[in-house]
Amino acid sequence: MDERVESTQAARAMLGELWDGNGPLLIHQSGGCCDGSAPMVFAVDEFRVGDANVRLGTVELGDGRDVPVWVSDGEARVWENSVLVLDLEPGRAAGFSLEGSTGKRFVSRVRITGADGAACPVPQA
């Protein structure tokens, strides 16, 4: 599977803290409205991944700690020619996401790629 997930240092640091306090993690982004369109972090035993979910990629924290990133099947088609860049910013976290009490929230940014996975060139003005 092609990895379609990247992450910022800030996002990886927060995931490391959450892992230390909660054990192995997973991220799910449903593509719904409101909170459902934000990446949400769960302990692996608190979220059931089903047949309608696709693993988009993994955030590697080091020391064998890998956080899989799951999206709904429909959302996977949206991300087909792009990369989800997991980032962290100040704000209130979505729904039941584990970072909720930290005053920060995970956000998804996008990096568009071509069908071959290469970054698309930026048009020159």
Side-chain angles (χ1 to χ4, degrees):
M1 178 189 132
D2 292 334
E3 288 284 319
R4 292 184 281 161
V5 174
E6 294 176 358
S7 57
T8 64
Q9 177 58 39
R12 289 189 303 277
M14 175 61 70
L15 286 170
E17 290 177 29
L18 294 172
W19 185 297
D20 292 344
N22 298 280
L25 306 171
L26 66 81
I27 297 170
H28 186 269
Q29 180 164 324
S30 71
C33 70
C34 309
D35 282 351
S37 58
M40 290 194 265
V41 180
F42 300 95
V44 294
D45 59 351
E46 293 180 356
F47 188 89
R48 183 173 295 179
V49 176
D51 292 339
N53 291 240
V54 175
R55 189 173 135 308
L56 196 61
T58 304
V59 176
E60 297 178 3
L61 303 179
D63 298 328
R65 300 181 304 163
D66 296 331
V67 181
V69 178
W70 296 87
V71 296
S72 64
D73 184 42
E75 188 75 3
R77 288 188 292 277
V78 171
W79 291 97
E80 197 167 70
N81 291 318
S82 59
V83 172
L84 182 152
V85 180
L86 185 69
D87 200 358
L88 188 71
E89 65 182 25
R92 197 171 94 209
F96 299 103
S97 193
L98 287 175
E99 81 278 13
S101 65
T102 68
K104 297 180 182 173
R105 65 181 177 180
F106 287 103
V107 294
S108 296
R109 308 209 190 278
V110 65
R111 184 171 58 77
I112 304 298
T113 64
D116 62 356
C120 289
V122 176
Q124 299 298 316

